[in-house]
Amino acid sequence: DGLAKLRARRDLGFLDLPNRQNLWTASRERSAQVAGTLAVLGIGGSSLGGRALMDAFASKRVVFFENVDAKDFWARLEALGELKNVHWAIVSKSGNTIETLGQASFVSQRLEEQGLKLKDRATVITELRSNPLHDWAKANGVPVLEIPLDVGGRFSVLSPVGMFPAAAAGLDIEKIREGALWALKQDELIGRLMAHSLKSFERGEFITLFWVYCNRLWTWGLWVQQLWAESLAKKTTRKGAAAPRVSTPIPLIGANDQHSVLQQVAEGARDKFIWFLRSRESETAGPSLKRSLFAPQGYLEGKGLGALLSAEAQATAKALQQNQVQSLTLEVERVDERTLGALLMLLEVVVGAMGETLDINAFDQPGVELGKRLALEILK
């Protein structure tokens, strides 16, 4: 029912993004005009999706400036080298994100010290309506790529927010689009993922661990964390009643976090539900070991390194099951553009439809706005 309600809505543009060819064409064409390193200024939904794509493919051409840690910002700016070889993507749906606008102002200041101008080497990605970022771009002749008004920031990765950096990095964004279209048709899979997660809330499992056994998908877990947390945790339902309690999402990486968190999950409070994500590619790539240097590792002889990752993932799931900790497993064949497009759209639909089932507004974030207002008051 929640999925049906989601599909019936006409105000949610993220579901239609794979069909909005003008946005994909604009991202592709603008990326072809950009040379050198692409530096993305953005935070939260304006960055995490793009980072998930770049990290999955180990792109060196695109770098992200997110947090406003001054020491880190200036060190990373210095590490870029000749700034005349850098193009800047300034990304903010509202066009008023203080962290992003602040970084852009400091970048402009540094460029001017070198006789360069930000307006000559920038692309703005924002809504096509008056806001500080759009107005600056319009006044200075800076190209603007559109974030549609009906697409929320954390649901915007399949717009130019993620597709412009992806195209600039050389990814085949048409295949990303194909993966997203595939995911939109998977009603049974979406329903099963929703049902398992909603049932975990009924059991009082209010921590959901997204345990990724694939280094290339680690940032995807961080992206899911924002999508899940900002969309599902609300104070009231649409009718004004107290909203149902939902879980806190925590991304983990396997096998690393077997050595940091597994003890807590296995023998701590039974308040956790696990999504395991595995990639066969990560468990099968590379050569087999001919001879182990160490006697205890004879188990690996004749096997690839990924066999160890596979065994760890299977063992962790089985051990937790024996400890009455429930989980589900998503497995992908390989990490390519189609897979990423599918994973991104799949989770957006799952989270949006869960919001409909719970009768909450999964597309606002009132709890974030107060902190923004207070930060501006402190600065003043």
Side-chain angles (χ1 to χ4, degrees), residues 166-193:
L171 302 189
D172 188 337
I173 64 172
E174 176 59 25
K175 291 181 179 177
I176 295 174
R177 192 178 78 87
E178 291 172 3
L181 285 169
W182 175 88
L184 283 170
K185 300 174 184 176
Q186 307 308 308
D187 285 13
E188 181 182 355
L189 174 58
I190 293 165
R192 290 172 66 188
L193 294 172

Side-chain angles (χ1 to χ4, degrees), residues 251-268:
L252 300 176
I253 188 75
N256 300 42
D257 286 321
Q258 291 175 208
H259 298 269
S260 62
V261 180
L262 182 55
Q263 173 64 32
Q264 166 74 16
V265 179
E267 297 191 355

Side-chain angles (χ1 to χ4, degrees), residues 27 30 123 138 146 284 348:
S27 295
R30 181 57 183 159
T123 298
K138 186 176 180 180
E146 176 187 5
T284 58
E348 288 183 349

Side-chain angles (χ1 to χ4, degrees), residues 25-152:
T25 299
S27 295
R28 191 180 296 108
E29 291 179 349
R30 181 57 183 159
S31 71
Q33 300 168 354
V34 172
T37 298
L38 177 64
V40 180
L41 303 178
I43 196 167
S46 295
S47 176
L48 275 172
R51 270 186 58 207
L53 286 162
M54 295 305 100
D55 290 353
F57 296 96
S59 172
K60 302 298 183 184
R61 190 189 173 193
V62 182
V63 297
F64 291 83
F65 287 77
E66 298 168 302
N67 202 9
V68 285
D69 178 322
K71 179 69 176 179
D72 178 72
F73 175 80
W74 291 110
R76 295 180 67 230
L77 193 65
E78 194 70 27
L80 288 176
E82 293 283 345
L83 293 184
K84 65 181 180 181
N85 299 322
V86 179
H87 188 87
W88 300 88
I90 310 171
V91 189
S92 168
K93 175 175 169 60
S94 68
N96 198 32
T97 308
I98 185 63
E99 296 91 344
T100 302
L101 299 188
Q103 285 187 337
S105 296
F106 279 107
V107 167
S108 177
Q109 179 175 290
R110 175 57 60 89
L111 287 170
E112 288 178 358
E113 292 169 358
Q114 299 180 12
L116 305 170
K117 292 189 178 297
L118 179 61
K119 67 182 182 66
D120 298 331
R121 54 197 72 247
T123 298
V124 161
I125 304 176
T126 188
E127 295 177 335
L128 298 186
R129 61 179 173 183
S130 180
N131 62 56
L133 183 56
H134 185 271
D135 294 348
W136 173 83
K138 186 176 180 180
N140 289 278
V142 177
V144 177
L145 296 176
E146 176 187 5
I147 304 176
L149 298 178
D150 59 0
V151 175

